[in-house]
Amino acid sequence: MRILHTRRTARLFAPAIAALAALSLTACEDGTGTKDEGASAPVSSPAAAQPGKTDSGRPATTTPAPDEKAEGTKGTKGDDKATQDDANASDSAAAPENRVLCNGSNTKVTAQPVPRPLNHMLITVTNTGSKLCDLTYYPVLRFDEMQWAPTAAKETQPQAVTTLAPGESGYAGVLLAAADGSGDGGATAKKLTVAFQGRTPNSDGGATATPPLPAKGVYYDSSLTVTYWQQSMDDALAW
């Protein structure tokens, strides 16, 4: 009977003993009595682990984006250079050593009576040369063989010298006779000589011009007056 009891007791306690043995083994592994499973590792593809490679392990091919800033800067620099070159060329053309006086040798001169204002004539000078030319002061006019020169209206003097680029025109207005008939010594002229002034008043500006007059001539009297050279036709005839 004692032997039978002992065997029954052993069978009852066998599972408990096995459990205690398993716990003891786990405690020995991590020192805490609880098994450490460790942090779960993230799942990643080989390509993610190796930048610059595809899933197959081959190097990835990328197309670099255009350098917009570099291209924009390049274009801007080119435009700025062209603008600067134009400015330098303009400054060079306007330099004193590259300017000449307008006169009969480098211009085309015309003289034409106008209907308005009454008794007025317009003188037009066009630069036919290759350089800038200056129309200084006012034209010195001589009809036929007259021995005197008409005066200039001081109030028409511009603030700056009238300068003509090649192909441009300048103007002067001429009051031929008093509208009210108050002038004297009237005569009809068939020929006109236009003289140009130099850099100082009444100095010689070079070759004169002899623009043709209408076949019937132009009538003038002692009221004959001219304007200073003007940049626009309207300014020349406004006086």
Side-chain angles (χ1 to χ4, degrees):
M1 291 294 293
R2 184 180 298 274
I3 294 172
L4 179 60
H5 178 75
T6 300
R7 289 177 178 174
R8 184 179 298 173
T9 301
R11 287 197 300 270
L12 291 173
F13 283 98
I17 291 171
L20 289 173
L23 290 173
S24 298
L25 181 59
T26 302
C28 290
E29 289 176 355
D30 64 3
T32 62
T34 304
K35 184 178 181 180
D36 186 4
E37 298 296 337
S40 60
V43 178
S44 60
S45 66
Q50 300 183 43
K53 292 187 176 182
T54 63
D55 291 343
S56 64
R58 296 177 181 175
T61 302
T62 59
T63 302
D67 191 343
E68 295 180 357
K69 181 177 181 181
E71 291 181 357
T73 302
K74 180 179 179 181
T76 300
K77 287 183 178 179
D79 293 343
D80 290 345
K81 185 177 185 304
T83 301
Q84 185 61 46
D85 289 345
D86 291 342
N88 291 340
S90 177
D91 291 342
S92 176
E97 62 271 19
N98 294 326
R99 300 164 72 104
V100 297
L101 290 170
C102 299
N103 57 41
S105 67
N106 56 16
T107 63
K108 177 183 178 181
V109 183
T110 62
Q112 184 64 44
V114 295
R116 294 287 185 275
L118 190 64
N119 295 341
H120 275 68
M121 183 173 68
L122 178 69
I123 297 177
T124 303
V125 176
T126 303
N127 183 357
T128 58
S130 59
K131 295 183 178 181
L132 292 175
C133 76
D134 294 329
L135 282 170
T136 55
Y137 306 105
Y138 52 88
V140 179
L141 305 184
R142 182 183 182 187
F143 284 112
D144 292 335
E145 301 301 322
M146 61 187 295
Q147 299 299 309
W148 57 280
T151 58
K154 186 66 176 178
E155 61 270 28
T156 65
Q157 184 173 4
Q159 294 182 350
V161 174
T162 297
T163 299
L164 307 180
E168 287 188 334
S169 298
Y171 309 89
V174 182
L175 171 63
L176 294 170
D180 59 4
S182 59
D184 53 23
T188 298
K190 298 290 187 177
K191 178 183 177 182
L192 171 65
T193 300
V194 179
F196 298 84
Q197 301 188 55
R199 300 292 179 185
T200 57
N202 301 315
S203 61
D204 184 8
T208 62
T210 55
L213 296 176
K216 64 179 182 179
V218 294
Y219 177 84
Y220 71 93
D221 63 21
S222 60
S223 301
L224 184 64
T225 309
V226 299
T227 68
Y228 280 74
W229 292 114
Q230 306 293 326
Q231 206 77 49
S232 76
M233 183 187 307
D234 290 342
D235 289 341
L237 294 177
W239 172 76

